[in-house]
Amino acid sequence: STLQQRKQVLGLYRQILKLSKTWRIVSERAGIANEAKNLFRKNMNITSSEAIDSKIFEARKKQRQHL
């Protein structure tokens, strides 16, 4: 559902920003946060449920690569 997707997106956004604050390479922290902010803003007008699910999947995959 749209509400469930919204919760997932906001949760992912918070997790990524939190990750950026504890990132082991201090000089990369701002870049991680800025990239997340820019991508989430760029994608905030997507309305297709399938497209939103795809973006959630991409974000989780990228997040897992950096843990």
Side-chain angles (χ1 to χ4, degrees), residues 8-56:
Q8 288 179 1
V9 168
L10 292 175
L12 262 172
Y13 185 65
R14 282 189 218 101
Q15 289 172 8
I16 292 169
L17 290 181
K18 193 176 195 179
L19 175 67
S20 75
K21 291 178 182 178
T22 60
W23 188 247
R24 63 190 170 274
I25 303 170
V26 176
S27 63
E28 294 179 357
R29 290 179 181 177
I32 293 168
N34 287 333
E35 180 182 4
K37 289 175 187 177
N38 290 335
L39 287 172
F40 277 80
R41 282 188 190 121
K42 176 184 166 194
N43 296 322
M44 68 189 251
N45 293 318
I46 294 174
T47 56
S48 161
S49 186
E50 294 81 15
I52 294 169
D53 284 340
S54 175
K55 295 295 182 183
I56 290 170

